[in-house]
Amino acid sequence: MLNHKSHRLIYLIGLLFLAAFIVKTITDKFRIPSVVGYILLGTIFSQSVVGNFSFLSKEFLAWYNYLLNTLNFITVLAVSFISFGIGTSLYIKILKKLEFELTLIVLFESIGAFVLVSGIMLLLGKELFVAILFGTIATATAPAATVMVLKEYGIPGEYSATLMVVLALDEFLALLIFSFMEPLSYILASPEVELTFMNMFLTPFLRVTAAILLGLVIGYISQHLMIKCSSESRKILLILATIIGTSAAAVFFHISPLFANLTLGFVYRNVPKSRLDVSDKIDVLTVPLLATFFILAGTKLDISNLFDQTFLIVAFAYTFMRMLGKVGGAHLGAKLSSAPKHVEDYIGFGLIPQIGITIDLAFIIQKDFVHIGGNVSNISMLILNVILFTSIFTEIFGSLATEYALIKSDEMKTKRC
């Protein structure tokens, strides 16, 4: 009875959430981004580690591997909630004030990361589709760690305000680039698929357009219902139904849940005359979901890669070139737009963290490319492992870099509490 499969699942989930609580307590105490702790925790539960325990039976290991694969749906849900949060950061009034300055910063830092990372991968002998995938993922910046530093240590100022909007626009542009580059890479990786205008441009364009329309329609209806809700319980149920329902519809129609939910968040932020306070509710509701997502991401990390010289070279090259492209590109964009000196010098320091949306994109690549024969499925796992491994360092270093930028911009609180 104690070894029934359904009971094993309960034991495992209970153990994971207990461990997640301990990790969260430790990371909060030492001011380390909690997602780093979750990934390290997931690594302990990874197949590459658990498989080395000789006292575990083959039957248990087979069930464990099956369980991890069946929980992949959590990735779609996590992506949806993250994208919704990004959409709520896109406020039209702020975008209008800083449109030229922001446009150049976001364009140059994204293009810089894409070009430098893709270029170094080609120099390292990687195939063109692999270089494009690495470059595409490099364009994305995760706002969570940077926003946490701004809220805890920053004071309102021009640097902080500019950085917040750049983070939101960066995610939008990264998703847009991914929507076109990932299908192109898939075609290049599949010899039997012919490269045409239809599958390279028109099909991705129609899918992005359909996702945006879906988000607009559902968002407009949902925010109208939300205004009429007086009960907090009904508001919570409505927002959950809206985000998960949008994701389900997007999956059904084979369009992007990321873009659909990003548009959904944009509608929630800009259409109502008075702001709908849903962000705090989402933050609380998604704590267990995002913790589970990052733990599951950590289970995909293959420990043996840490002793592989080729893997370490790729990981280092990706990290260095991405940081160079982000910081250098943002500096150039700010300079060309005549941004204030402190924004020009330090805006790129807040764009280093990558965990979150990059892992979402890496998971999508892994899911889409695993069905291609040959060595392509191994390449998709390489990309996922590089992102997971390097994220640990970019989160810690990125948080410190953001604090340094706040100090140099005179927007750091004088007293920490």
Side-chain angles (χ1 to χ4, degrees), residues 360-372:
D360 301 338
L361 301 181
F363 259 115
I364 293 172
I365 291 171
Q366 195 267 333
K367 176 175 66 69
D368 291 345
F369 281 69
V370 73
H371 305 295
I372 303 178

Side-chain angles (χ1 to χ4, degrees), residues 21-52:
F21 170 75
I22 296 172
V23 166
K24 179 65 175 172
T25 303
I26 295 173
T27 54
D28 284 351
K29 181 177 178 61
F30 292 99
R31 290 180 40 248
I32 300 172
S34 57
V35 287
V36 174
Y38 293 145
I39 288 180
L40 292 176
L41 174 61
T43 303
I44 297 173
F45 286 91
S46 68
Q47 298 174 30
S48 61
V49 173
V50 174
N52 292 322

Side-chain angles (χ1 to χ4, degrees), residues 113-373:
F114 179 86
V115 171
L116 291 183
V117 170
S118 298
I120 194 64
M121 291 301 156
L122 290 174
L123 289 176
L124 290 175
K126 300 300 179 184
E127 296 180 70
L128 178 59
F129 82 91
V130 178
I132 292 174
L133 288 174
F134 269 113
T136 300
I137 289 181
T139 62
T141 302
T146 300
V147 171
M148 180 186 70
V149 173
L150 293 178
K151 287 182 177 179
E152 189 170 357
Y153 302 112
I155 58 176
E158 191 166 20
Y159 173 82
S160 300
T162 304
L163 180 57
M164 286 291 287
V165 184
V166 166
L167 288 170
L169 288 176
D170 176 277
E171 294 307 289
F172 175 82
L173 183 59
L175 292 180
L176 187 62
I177 293 172
F178 183 82
S179 297
F180 287 91
M181 291 295 104
E182 200 246 5
L184 173 62
S185 299
Y186 187 89
I187 295 168
L188 294 174
S190 308
E192 69 279 2
V193 181
E194 184 181 357
L195 182 62
T196 65
F197 176 78
M198 173 70 74
N199 56 26
M200 185 183 76
F201 178 79
L202 190 57
T203 300
F205 175 77
L206 292 175
R207 286 181 175 174
V208 169
T209 303
I212 292 175
L213 289 175
L214 178 67
L216 287 173
V217 172
I218 296 180
Y220 182 81
I221 296 172
S222 178
Q223 62 85 26
H224 184 70
L225 294 173
M226 181 68 73
I227 293 172
K228 295 184 176 181
C229 284
S230 56
S231 166
E232 288 297 312
S233 298
R234 288 175 61 199
K235 288 182 179 179
I236 290 173
L237 289 173
L238 176 59
I239 194 62
L240 288 174
T242 300
I243 296 175
I244 297 175
T246 300
S247 302
V251 171
F252 179 79
F253 290 114
H254 300 287
I255 56 181
S256 171
L258 289 79
F259 252 110
N261 280 286
L262 185 143
T263 308
L264 186 69
F266 178 82
V267 171
Y268 256 74
R269 182 68 178 91
N270 292 281
V271 172
K273 293 182 179 179
S274 58
R275 185 170 183 177
L276 300 175
D277 294 323
V278 296
S279 297
D280 292 339
K281 299 180 181 64
I282 293 295
D283 289 344
V284 174
L285 289 170
T286 56
V287 167
L289 173 65
L290 295 181
T292 305
F293 167 69
F294 288 118
I295 292 171
L296 287 175
T299 65
K300 302 292 184 179
L301 188 60
D302 189 348
I303 294 297
S304 63
N305 284 328
L306 305 184
F307 306 97
D308 186 312
Q309 184 178 359
T310 302
F311 173 83
L312 293 176
I313 290 174
V314 170
F316 174 78
Y318 166 84
T319 304
F320 180 76
M321 287 301 178
R322 178 183 173 274
M323 289 172 58
L324 185 62
K326 286 284 182 181
V327 176
H331 176 83
L332 180 59
K335 187 178 184 65
L336 292 176
S337 62
S338 301
K341 182 63 176 176
H342 62 285
V343 172
E344 175 188 324
D345 290 341
Y346 305 111
I347 189 69
F349 286 65
L351 303 176
I352 294 173
Q354 64 174 2
I355 206 167
I357 193 68
T358 52
I359 293 179
D360 301 338
L361 301 181
F363 259 115
I364 293 172
I365 291 171
Q366 195 267 333
K367 176 175 66 69
D368 291 345
F369 281 69
V370 73
H371 305 295
I372 303 178

